[in-house]
């Protein structure tokens, strides 16, 4: 966007004036594109100002600095469609007109309300104009408001206003604007302003509004007469040259799709149909390049386009089928194959032709193209490109004629004029700007950082409401802006991509584009104070101006009504916004806003910015099944294809929305059959990923750790299905070896040693000892070594990847956070110690002992320690067997409950030891001679026996001889046995009650964890067989003979399990065209909406009645009619509501 002061537009003012004065119909633009070509490019958004459906006013433009004041051939009495010149109104009239509009906006609740009021005023005043409005009401209302706002704010700058109006004229070429219709429009707007503003709507303001509305309407008529045929010729021949049959049919068919109710300005990457979206996405349409290798065809370039690879390869003998290949072929034949600068123009040519009726966008494309062409050394002869271009078009366009020759020559002459204006300047300006920026020291940079914002806030106080970051962050932004101006010269292609991505982020922030002009002006003024180099200043201004124009265009194209609803976090506004969408593109409105090669997801933006109400409304709408006679519409596939990690994002940022999403994956029939209900679970994207492998959804849900969400029917079905289908057998195979090694360990440590010790037969005893030694060698070789390898690999992997976790002051590998791995590490340590202390190995060289015995003089000191370690290893082996509880969710739930309440037992043991030690120390200090309580250690042991009921009754009799000891023991028993024991019971009961509610959920979490840990071991063949058995690609029934949607499995459940009294599929009659909107739906929000509309209609009617009572004339008469219609509409809403 150009700045709102003269300095911000000075750099491009001369080229723009020359452009407009040459009667260039390409002086046509804004940030929108012309209808049919843009629909194919896929960049229509509801915030755009293009109007392919035939509306009267819609705009988006740039606010310029003040202009010259004079007189012109326009007045408030009649529409002048014979000339198209600049509109010069008296400054007082301009000020009055703009002041009235500002007051009108401030008086309204919101800008959306202003748009609705304008829309209603036109329909009330002129029902005959309704046939011209085919775009949805919500979209059209915002276009009216935006258009009038831009026009009024540009009244003080006649040159900018002329370009803006000319742009709108080219966007309304398909609409038959006539002088009587302009008068109707004028009267409707003036009547609305008079009604709402009362005395503020002075005669001077009326003259101002009538004059500029006449000016706009007359310009529409003039442009339509002068240039419509040429632009139509360009559009149709370009579509034919690139084999865009769908677009060509739409151009020749006169927009039948729009008449069916669709709005091609919204949708898949901005407006492409779902069937054709693959061919319209940037980079998706590939073809053999005659310059070299593969390049993106001309039909899919973005703002700066996609360049072909350098080099030449003319061995390809295929017949060229599109403009890109034909151009490369002709360039080689005509001897221009080495002119690599042509590639840059070719890469941008689709955007140039597509935006032929959009002067601001065309100027932007030429500016960026001039920067890219400046990188080429040598002579650049633009006439050569024209020759190759016309030769290629003549070969591809079957009905080529004189009109085509004139139209394409006319377009190229204007493009060449803009390129020649900048030819040779970028290199000089880049060098001057680089010298300036490198000469700035730290003090100068700090001055820039401070003064930019000081001047900006002075020029645009409203900007302070949007800069909420810290001062250091603002300084960083200022530095980034300065560096971007130089990067724009050095790397224009990358910068256009980066700026587009930045602009899309600003769409989500809701930043008004009119602030960019003031910011540019502030930056230029600050930099001007630091240098006397006019070239550097001009370079900085020009580059920053280009950046702001790109940002403005991206924001305007990306500011859809869906994004505006998300910014307000309003589910109601979002439902209203998407109700305007064609049914075939409704899901894509909520999933993708595409500008050039950059895109943003409204759904993901709502989640990231905390707009959970809007996000919930989006998910509910996407996962609502709608149907007409021809097809079903369900947004599941579109949502998961756009966001394969949607579950992960919800787990991290919006877990409250997980049940909403999962509920949307279930369909239950309203009809029951023999006490059973048909249920469809659409689990395709929860089972398989985009590559056909196992989806990580289960892992994300398990890592989330919510026991309730894993009990959801959809998650439970997925987990159980994968477990029983593939994971169970693989897990069992893996555990079978562990159980076998445990069996060998038991035999070697618990069974055979006892047999050898008690066997009287010498040969049998020797056999038992040999088998014991063999079993232990097996355990050390195949169990201990396997565990050592496992821990070594895991530790090395985590250390190499930096996956370390801090525990107290130590950093340990992340895998050690799992209790099973901790137990396995302890088991490994025990086995290593057992090997070191192995008594059979120590006795094998001892003389005079039996062979393979474990008892010899060398093992007298270590045999006890070996037995203790062996016992610990045995317990650890059995502890690791707990994983087998996953075979039954009931057993697994019990094990998990035991683990949950073990902390209460630990607290009891701690308390018991504390009191036992306290009383033991007290009793040891007491004067008494009881043998059982002699010394602290002995007393502590006997006190614990008292608590556990293991203390001999014989010793109780001796206590009676010592009264003091007796009292102390009784107090100890009351504290530990009566109090602590019962407290433990109460704690266990409470802990069990709180855990029991989620007991099944914790069991399912455990099963889910084992499932996703086991899946990497499943062979690809087994997995593919399992997926094929699910038949997820087959459509499943909604009822007998009603074949529904694919991607799910069907089950039957008891009819009383989930009562369903309403059909979960929303079915509609009427037109079945994917371009048609869905009819209005009844919902729980309808009653509230009806009463709000009724209240607004009554307020409006009361204002009109008051005006009629105080005024007279035709205006009053018109008001009474409108008031009557308002009461009728209100009554209609009321009766419907009742």
């Amino acid at each position: 966007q150009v700045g709102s002061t003269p300095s911000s537009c000075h750099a491009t003012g001369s080229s723009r004036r020359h452009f407009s004065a040459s009667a260039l119909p390409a002086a046509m633009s804004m940030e929108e594109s012309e209808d049919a070509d843009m629909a194919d490019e896929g960049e229509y958004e509801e915030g755009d100002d293009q109007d392919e459906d035939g509306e009267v006013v819609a705009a988006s433009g740039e606010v310029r600095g003040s202009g010259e004041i004079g007189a012109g051939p326009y007045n408030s009495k009649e529409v002048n469609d014979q000339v198209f010149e600049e509109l010069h109104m008296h400054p007082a009239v301009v000020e009055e007109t703009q002041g009235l509009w500002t007051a009108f906006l401030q008086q309204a609740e919101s800008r959306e309300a202003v748009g609705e009021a304008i829309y209603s005023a036109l329909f009330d005043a002129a029902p005959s104009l309704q046939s011209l409005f085919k775009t949805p009401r919500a979209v059209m209302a915002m276009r009216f408001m935006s258009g009038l706002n831009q026009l009024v704010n540009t009244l003080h700058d006649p040159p900018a206003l002329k370009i803006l109006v000319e742009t709108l004229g080219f966007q309304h070429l398909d609409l038959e604007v006539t002088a009587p219709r302009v008068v109707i429009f004028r009267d409707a707007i003036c009547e609305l302003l008079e009604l709402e503003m009362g005395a503020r709507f002075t005669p001077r303001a009326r003259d101002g509004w009538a004059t500029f509305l006449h000016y706009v309407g007359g310009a529409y008529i003039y442009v339509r007469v002068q240039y419509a045929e040429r632009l139509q010729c360009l559009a149709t021949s370009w579509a034919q040259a690139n084999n865009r049959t769908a677009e060509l049919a739409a151009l020749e068919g006169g927009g039948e799709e729009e008449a069916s109710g669709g709005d091609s300005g919204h949708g898949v990457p901005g407006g492409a149909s779902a069937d054709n979206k693959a061919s319209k996405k940037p980079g998706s349409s590939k073809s053999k390049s005659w310059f070299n290798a593969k390049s993106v065809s001309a039909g899919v370039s973005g703002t700066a386009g996609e360049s072909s690879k350098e080099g030449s390869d003319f061995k390809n003998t295929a017949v060229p089928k599109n403009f890109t290949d034909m151009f490369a072929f002709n360039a080689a034949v005509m001897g221009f194959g080495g002119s690599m600068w042509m590639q840059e123009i070719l890469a941008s040519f689709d955007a140039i032709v597509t935006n032929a009726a959009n002067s601001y966008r065309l100027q932007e494309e030429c500016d960026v193209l001039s920067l890219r062409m400046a990188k080429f050394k040598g002579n650049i002869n633009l006439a050569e490109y024209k020759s190759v271009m016309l030769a290629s078009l003549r070969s591809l366009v079957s009905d080529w004629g004189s009109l085509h020759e004139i139209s394409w020559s006319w377009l190229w002459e204007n493009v060449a004029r803009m390129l020649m204006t900048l030819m040779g300047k970028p290199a000089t300006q880049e060098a001057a700007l680089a010298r300036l920026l490198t000469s700035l020291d730290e003090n100068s940079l700090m001055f820039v950082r401070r003064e930019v914002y000081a001047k900006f806030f002075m020029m645009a106080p409203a900007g302070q409401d949007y800069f909420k970051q810290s001062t250091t962050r603002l300084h960083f932004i200022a530095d980034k802006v300065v560096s971007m101006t130089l990067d724009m010269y050095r790397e224009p292609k990358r910068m256009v991509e980066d700026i587009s991505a930045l602009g899309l982020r600003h769409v989500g922030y809701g930043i008004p584009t009119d602030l960019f002009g003031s910011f540019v002006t502030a930056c230029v003024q600050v930099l001007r104070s630091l240098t006397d180099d006019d070239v550097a200043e001009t370079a900085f201004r020009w580059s920053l101006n280009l950046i702001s124009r790109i940002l403005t265009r991206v924001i305007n194209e990306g500011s859809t009504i869906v994004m505006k609803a998300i910014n307000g976090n309003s589910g109601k506004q979002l439902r209203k916004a998407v109700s305007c969408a064609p049914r075939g593109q409704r899901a894509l409105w909520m999933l993708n806003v595409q500008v050039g090669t950059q895109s943003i997801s409204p759904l993901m933006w709502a989640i990231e910015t905390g707009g959970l109400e809007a996000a919930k409304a989006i998910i509910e709408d996407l996962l609502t099944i709608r149907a007409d006679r021809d097809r079903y519409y369900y947004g599941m596939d579109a949502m998961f294809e756009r966001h394969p990690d949607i579950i992960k994002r919800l787990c991290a940022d919006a877990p409250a929305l997980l049940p909403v999403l999962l509920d949307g994956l279930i369909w239950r029939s309203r009809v029951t059959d023999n006490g059973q209900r048909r249920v469809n679970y659409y689990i395709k994207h929860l089972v398989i990923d985009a590559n056909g492998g196992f989806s990580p959804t289960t892992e994300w849900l398990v890592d989330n750790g919510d026991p309730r969400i894993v009990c959801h029917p959809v998650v439970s079905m997925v987990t159980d299905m994968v477990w029983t289908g593939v994971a169970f057998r693989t897990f069992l195979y893996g555990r079978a070896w562990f159980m076998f090694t445990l069996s060998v360990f038991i035999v070697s440590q618990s069974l055979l040693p006892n047999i050898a010790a008690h066997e009287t037969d010498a040969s049998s005893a020797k056999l038992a000892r040999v088998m014991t030694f063999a079993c232990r060698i097996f355990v050390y070789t195949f169990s201990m070594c396997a565990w050592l390898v496992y821990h070594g690999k895991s530790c090395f992997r985590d250390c190499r990847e930096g996956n370390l976790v801090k525990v107290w002051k130590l950093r340990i590998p992340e895998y050690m956070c799992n209790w099973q791995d901790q137990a396995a590490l302890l088991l490994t340590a025990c086995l290593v110690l057992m090997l070191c202390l192995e008594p059979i190995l120590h006795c094998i060289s001892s003389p005079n002992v039996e062979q393979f015995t474990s008892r010899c003089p060398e093992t007298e000191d270590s045999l006890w320690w070996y037995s203790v370690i062996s016992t610990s290893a045995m317990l650890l082996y059995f502890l690791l067997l707990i994983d087998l509880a996953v075979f039954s969710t009931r057993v697994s739930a019990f094990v998990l409950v035991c683990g949950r309440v073990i902390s209460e037992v630990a607290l009891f043991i701690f308390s018991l030891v504390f009191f036992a030690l306290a009383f033991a120390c007290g009793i040891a200090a007491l004067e008494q001679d009881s043998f059982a309580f002699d010394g602290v250690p002995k007393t502590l042991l006997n006190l614990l026996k008292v608590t556990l009921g293991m203390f001999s009754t014989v010793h109780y009799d001796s206590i009676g001889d010592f009264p003091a000891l007796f009292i102390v023991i009784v107090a100890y028993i009351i504290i530990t046995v009566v109090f602590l024991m019962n407290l433990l019971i109460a704690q266990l009961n409470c802990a069990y009650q709180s855990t029991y509610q989620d007991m099944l959920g914790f069991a399912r979490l455990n099963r889910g964890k084992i499932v996703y840990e086991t899946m990497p071991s499943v062979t690809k063949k087994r997995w593919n067989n399992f997926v094929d058995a699910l038949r997820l690609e087959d459509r499943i029934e909604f009822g007998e003979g009603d074949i529904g949607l694919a991607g799910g499995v069907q089950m039957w459940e008891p009819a009383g399990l989930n009562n369903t009294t309403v059909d979960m599929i929303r079915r509609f009659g009427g037109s079945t065209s994917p371009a048609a909107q869905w009819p209005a739906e009844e919902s729980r929000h309808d009653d509230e909406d009806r009463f709000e509309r009724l209240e607004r209609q009554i307020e409006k009617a009361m204002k009109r009645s008051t005006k009629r009572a105080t005024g007279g004339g035709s205006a009053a008469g018109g008001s009474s009619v409108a008031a009557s219609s308002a009461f009728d509409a209100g009554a209609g809403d009321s009766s419907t509501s009742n």
Side-chain angles (χ1 to χ4, degrees):
Q1 164 132 2
V2 183
S4 58
T5 67
S7 60
S8 63
C9 62
H10 174 75
T12 59
S14 60
S15 63
R16 291 188 182 279
R17 285 191 294 271
H18 179 65
F19 178 46
S20 180
S22 65
L24 174 64
M28 342 155 186
S29 119
M30 272 340 278
E31 282 64 35
E32 310 69 25
S33 315
E34 50 125 27
D35 351 355
D37 288 331
M38 195 60 163
D40 183 73
E41 179 72 9
E43 296 193 7
Y44 265 160
E45 300 296 341
E46 54 266 67
D48 297 349
D49 303 327
Q50 74 279 7
D51 182 7
E52 72 283 3
D53 295 327
E55 289 76 13
V56 177
V57 175
S60 160
E62 303 182 20
V63 181
R64 307 272 178 180
S66 59
E68 300 175 2
I69 304 301
Y74 303 100
N75 56 59
S76 61
K77 304 301 181 182
E78 59 182 2
V79 178
N80 188 347
D81 58 2
Q82 301 303 311
V83 296
F84 182 36
E85 301 175 357
E86 295 179 0
L87 174 64
H88 294 272
M89 294 195 299
H90 193 278
V93 177
V94 172
E95 182 180 357
E96 187 75 21
T97 304
Q98 292 179 332
L100 180 73
W101 178 250
T102 301
F104 182 50
L105 292 180
Q106 293 174 349
Q107 178 178 302
E109 297 178 1
S110 63
R111 298 206 169 192
E112 288 78 4
V114 173
E116 289 285 350
I118 297 172
Y119 194 94
S120 301
L122 291 176
F123 270 9
D124 290 344
S128 62
L129 294 181
Q130 296 187 19
S131 60
L132 302 177
F133 299 94
K134 299 167 187 143
T135 300
R137 177 177 182 132
V139 178
M140 197 60 249
M142 284 305 300
R143 289 183 183 174
F144 275 136
M145 196 290 302
S146 177
L148 285 175
N149 186 59
Q150 296 293 339
L151 288 167
V152 173
N153 289 336
T154 320
L155 284 176
H156 63 282
D157 188 352
L161 179 64
K162 183 177 185 294
I163 294 176
L164 175 57
V165 173
E166 195 172 21
T167 296
L168 296 176
F170 284 110
Q171 293 166 5
H172 292 77
L173 291 174
D174 60 334
L175 180 65
E176 187 178 355
V177 181
T178 62
R181 286 178 174 176
V182 173
V183 172
I184 293 174
F185 188 91
R186 176 205 66 190
D187 291 342
I189 297 298
C190 291
E191 183 180 349
L192 173 65
L193 293 173
E194 184 177 5
L195 174 67
E196 297 293 339
M197 304 307 297
R200 288 291 304 272
F201 192 59
T202 62
R204 178 180 291 173
R206 176 184 291 276
D207 289 343
W209 275 88
T211 300
F212 103 81
L213 289 175
H214 285 169
Y215 175 72
V216 172
Y220 283 7
I221 300 173
Y222 180 86
V223 170
R224 185 171 186 270
V225 171
Q226 295 294 324
Y227 302 120
E229 189 177 18
R230 290 185 182 181
L231 293 175
Q232 181 71 8
C233 177
L234 290 174
T236 54
S237 57
W238 184 245
Q240 186 178 352
N242 288 283
N243 291 322
R244 300 176 185 172
T245 54
E247 179 184 347
L248 187 60
L251 288 168
E252 295 176 349
E256 295 174 0
E257 179 181 331
E258 288 81 2
S260 66
D263 182 10
S264 62
H266 312 274
V268 198
S273 67
D275 295 336
N276 298 327
K277 68 177 180 178
S279 65
K280 296 177 176 97
K281 290 173 67 177
S284 64
S285 178
K286 304 274 186 178
S287 62
K288 184 69 176 178
S289 172
W290 289 91
F291 278 109
N292 189 23
K294 294 181 179 179
S295 65
V296 182
S297 65
V300 294
S301 61
T303 301
E306 299 290 338
S307 297
S308 303
K309 295 182 179 180
E310 293 186 6
S312 298
D313 179 13
F314 302 116
K315 297 179 181 180
N316 188 355
T317 58
V319 177
K321 299 294 185 181
N322 56 47
F323 181 79
T324 302
D325 292 346
M326 183 62 74
F327 185 95
F329 176 78
N330 284 325
V333 171
M334 298 170 69
F336 302 136
S339 301
M340 304 310 298
W341 57 269
M342 289 189 180
Q343 289 181 288
E344 296 296 341
I345 302 180
L346 183 62
S348 301
F349 200 59
D350 179 72
I352 290 174
V353 178
T354 300
N355 296 284
N358 189 328
S359 62
Y360 289 152
R361 178 66 185 277
L362 187 62
Q363 181 71 59
E364 176 192 317
E365 290 293 338
C366 291
D367 289 347
V368 175
L369 180 57
S370 67
L371 293 176
R372 296 171 63 177
M373 292 175 62
K375 303 301 178 183
F376 292 92
K377 305 300 182 182
N379 182 43
I380 295 179
N381 186 355
L382 296 179
E384 295 176 356
Y385 185 92
K386 178 182 179 182
S387 301
V388 180
M389 174 194 73
L390 292 176
S392 303
L393 289 169
R394 293 187 192 110
S395 302
L396 293 169
V397 179
S398 58
D399 57 345
W400 186 269
S402 59
L403 179 60
H404 293 84
E405 197 80 24
I406 295 172
S407 299
W408 284 98
S409 298
W410 164 75
L411 172 64
W412 179 250
E413 287 170 2
N414 289 293
V415 171
R417 184 181 300 115
M418 284 184 282
L419 293 176
M420 289 302 297
T421 302
L422 298 171
M423 196 74 72
K425 293 181 179 179
T428 305
Q429 293 177 343
E430 178 184 348
L433 184 59
R435 286 195 303 270
L436 171 61
L437 296 184
T438 54
S439 66
L440 298 178
D441 57 15
E442 185 60 31
N443 292 332
S444 300
L445 290 175
M446 183 57 68
F447 172 78
V448 172
R449 295 165 189 159
R450 291 195 311 267
E451 290 302 310
V452 162
Y453 292 104
K455 290 184 178 295
F456 171 62
F457 293 149
M458 186 182 302
M459 294 183 209
Q464 300 181 68
D465 298 332
Y466 296 94
F467 285 87
K468 304 174 184 178
Q469 299 91 342
S470 64
T471 302
T472 55
R473 173 65 179 173
L474 296 181
H475 289 175
F476 170 80
I477 295 174
D479 290 343
K480 192 68 176 177
V481 169
V482 172
S483 64
M484 285 172 67
T485 57
L486 183 58
D487 291 342
M488 194 70 196
Y489 285 99
R490 291 175 173 174
E491 301 178 86
K493 182 178 178 180
R494 179 185 66 83
M495 284 302 299
V496 168
E497 297 296 319
D498 293 347
I499 294 170
S500 298
L502 178 65
L504 281 178
R505 289 198 296 273
H506 280 72
V507 169
Y509 300 142
I511 304 296
T513 56
D514 52 5
L515 295 178
F516 288 136
S518 300
F519 191 82
V520 169
T521 302
C523 293
V524 172
Q525 290 179 357
V526 171
L527 196 73
R528 184 189 299 131
S529 64
L530 297 175
T531 181
D532 295 328
D533 188 343
D534 293 337
V535 177
E537 179 192 340
T538 301
F540 180 80
R541 183 192 302 111
W542 186 88
S543 177
L544 191 57
N545 182 27
L546 177 59
I547 293 172
S548 67
R549 280 187 283 142
I550 297 174
L551 277 175
T552 301
R553 173 182 58 80
V554 172
I555 292 175
N556 286 337
E557 291 181 1
S559 296
T560 67
I561 54 177
V562 173
M563 290 298 294
K564 291 176 181 178
I566 291 173
N567 290 336
N569 191 22
S570 171
K572 174 183 174 183
Q573 291 297 326
L574 191 135
R575 285 186 291 271
K576 182 178 180 182
V578 298
S579 66
C580 307
R583 62 187 65 179
Q585 297 181 1
R586 185 176 180 121
L588 296 166
W589 273 34
M590 296 176 281
L591 293 173
N592 202 35
V593 174
Q594 184 91 17
V595 179
T597 60
Q598 301 294 322
S599 65
I600 188 174
S601 168
L603 171 59
M604 202 52 60
W605 182 262
I607 294 172
E608 292 175 354
T609 57
L612 299 188
E613 285 297 321
K616 180 181 178 181
I618 290 176
I619 294 175
E620 288 177 343
D621 195 275
L622 286 171
L623 298 180
T624 297
I625 302 176
R626 297 178 175 85
D628 52 32
R629 295 184 302 276
D630 289 349
R631 58 184 65 85
Y632 286 95
Y633 293 86
Y634 188 39
M636 176 191 68
D637 288 335
M639 181 177 68
F640 280 99
E641 288 170 5
R642 182 71 171 90
H643 301 295
D645 62 342
I646 180 68
I647 300 291
K648 181 180 180 181
R649 301 298 298 271
L650 290 180
C651 288
D653 300 327
L657 297 181
L658 277 172
V660 178
L661 185 147
L662 295 174
D663 288 343
L665 301 178
I666 302 176
W667 171 85
R668 289 187 173 89
S669 174
R670 181 171 53 91
V671 181
T672 60
D673 185 8
N674 294 326
Q676 297 289 308
R677 187 188 308 279
R678 194 190 307 261
V679 185
N680 294 348
Y681 294 89
Y682 292 95
I683 59 175
K684 173 182 176 181
H685 299 282
L686 304 186
V687 176
I688 60 177
D689 59 17
N691 300 319
F694 178 62
S695 172
T697 300
T698 302
E699 180 179 357
W700 296 333
L701 292 171
V702 170
D703 291 343
N704 186 44
D706 188 347
R708 289 183 172 84
I709 204 65
V710 294
C711 289
H712 192 280
V714 171
V715 182
S716 300
M717 167 164 286
V718 171
T719 306
D720 292 344
M721 189 177 293
V722 176
W723 169 253
T724 57
V726 287
F728 173 79
R729 190 166 67 176
T730 303
F731 175 76
L732 188 59
Y733 288 165
R735 286 299 175 183
W737 175 254
F738 178 80
M739 289 187 289
F740 177 72
T741 56
L742 173 59
S743 301
V744 174
F745 188 73
I746 293 173
V747 170
S748 66
Q749 299 295 330
S750 302
L751 299 181
L752 290 178
N754 290 326
I755 293 174
H758 297 89
E759 183 60 53
T760 56
D761 183 53
S763 61
S764 298
K766 182 177 180 180
L767 179 62
R769 292 195 299 272
V770 171
M771 293 180 63
T772 300
F773 181 68
C775 289
R776 290 183 180 180
I777 292 298
F778 177 87
V779 171
Y780 295 142
T781 304
F782 295 103
S783 182
M784 183 190 72
C785 292
W787 282 118
L788 285 173
V789 171
Y790 168 76
H791 289 293
K793 286 183 176 180
S794 300
C795 184
F796 177 75
R797 182 187 66 247
D798 285 348
C799 292
R800 181 184 60 189
E801 298 176 358
N803 297 329
L804 301 176
V805 179
K806 190 173 183 179
V807 178
W808 292 313
K809 295 185 178 181
L810 300 176
R811 300 181 71 84
I812 62 174
E814 187 180 31
Y815 88 100
M816 289 301 300
C817 295
N818 188 1
W819 74 266
Q820 285 98 334
D821 289 317
Q822 296 171 5
L825 183 62
L826 291 176
L827 174 60
T828 305
C830 290
L831 291 176
V832 171
L833 292 175
M834 287 175 63
L835 177 61
C836 296
L837 298 175
E838 178 55 51
I840 297 178
L841 295 177
H842 285 284
C843 294
I844 204 167
S845 60
S846 180
N848 303 323
V849 295
E850 298 174 329
Q851 190 177 18
F852 297 116
T853 184
S854 59
R855 296 184 180 276
C856 62
E858 287 83 353
T859 61
E860 289 181 356
D861 296 332
S862 62
L863 188 59
W864 184 84
W865 287 107
Y866 178 85
S867 64
V868 172
I869 297 173
S870 175
T871 302
S872 301
M874 188 71 70
L875 295 176
L876 289 171
Y877 261 116
F878 276 94
L879 182 63
L880 291 174
L881 269 184
I882 290 180
D883 277 353
L884 295 178
V886 75
F887 291 144
S888 169
T889 54
R890 186 176 181 85
V891 175
S892 180
F894 174 76
V895 172
L896 289 169
V897 168
C898 292
R900 292 279 173 172
V901 300
I902 198 70
S903 60
E904 308 298 333
V905 178
L907 289 174
F908 167 76
I909 294 175
F910 171 79
S911 302
L912 176 62
V913 171
F914 174 80
F915 282 109
L917 180 62
F919 276 92
C921 294
I923 291 174
L926 188 66
E927 186 65 28
Q928 48 88 18
D929 296 327
S930 174
F931 174 77
F933 300 98
D934 185 16
V936 174
K938 192 173 184 179
T939 302
L940 177 62
L941 178 62
N942 285 322
L943 287 177
L944 293 175
K945 289 181 178 180
V946 169
T947 303
L948 300 176
M950 300 168 61
F951 193 66
S952 175
T953 56
V954 176
H955 297 299
Y956 278 112
D957 295 336
S958 63
I959 295 177
D961 298 334
F962 309 100
L965 177 63
F966 177 79
I967 293 173
V968 172
I969 295 298
V970 169
Y972 173 78
I973 292 174
I974 292 174
I975 291 174
T976 58
V977 177
V978 178
F979 176 71
L980 287 183
M981 281 291 188
N982 286 282
L983 180 60
L984 173 64
I985 295 171
Q987 285 181 306
L988 290 177
N989 182 59
C990 293
Y992 180 82
Q993 290 294 336
S994 62
T995 306
Y996 177 79
Q997 299 175 0
D998 299 323
M999 181 173 61
L1000 184 60
F1002 287 118
R1004 290 201 170 277
L1005 280 173
N1006 188 43
R1007 171 172 287 188
K1009 180 180 179 182
I1010 292 177
V1011 165
Y1012 77 73
E1013 288 179 345
T1014 305
M1015 288 307 297
S1017 303
V1018 176
T1019 63
K1020 185 176 182 180
K1021 181 179 179 181
R1022 285 192 59 215
W1023 173 250
N1024 291 336
N1025 292 337
F1026 168 73
V1027 172
D1028 293 341
L1030 294 179
R1031 302 174 64 183
L1032 294 175
E1033 301 303 323
D1034 295 345
R1035 298 169 64 187
I1036 53 180
E1037 292 183 334
F1038 286 127
E1040 187 175 0
D1042 184 5
I1043 306 301
L1045 298 161
V1049 294
Q1050 189 169 97
M1051 299 290 179
W1052 291 83
E1053 68 179 19
L1057 187 61
N1058 294 283
N1059 291 326
T1060 304
T1061 59
V1062 179
D1063 190 357
M1064 296 182 68
I1065 302 175
R1066 301 185 182 180
R1067 301 181 183 273
F1068 301 90
S1071 172
T1072 61
S1073 170
Q1077 303 170 37
W1078 289 112
E1081 302 178 24
E1082 293 289 334
S1083 69
R1084 63 181 183 274
H1085 308 282
D1086 285 348
D1087 290 339
E1088 179 182 354
D1089 292 343
R1090 287 195 190 100
F1091 282 112
E1092 287 183 1
R1093 289 197 302 268
L1094 177 60
E1095 183 179 1
R1096 288 197 300 267
Q1097 293 285 1
I1098 291 176
E1099 290 178 355
K1100 183 176 179 181
M1102 291 178 64
K1103 288 182 179 179
R1104 292 179 181 271
S1105 299
T1106 304
K1107 178 179 177 296
R1108 183 183 179 188
T1110 57
S1114 59
S1119 297
S1120 65
V1121 175
S1124 176
S1125 65
F1127 276 118
D1128 291 342
D1133 281 345
S1134 178
S1135 63
T1136 305
S1137 176
N1138 293 335

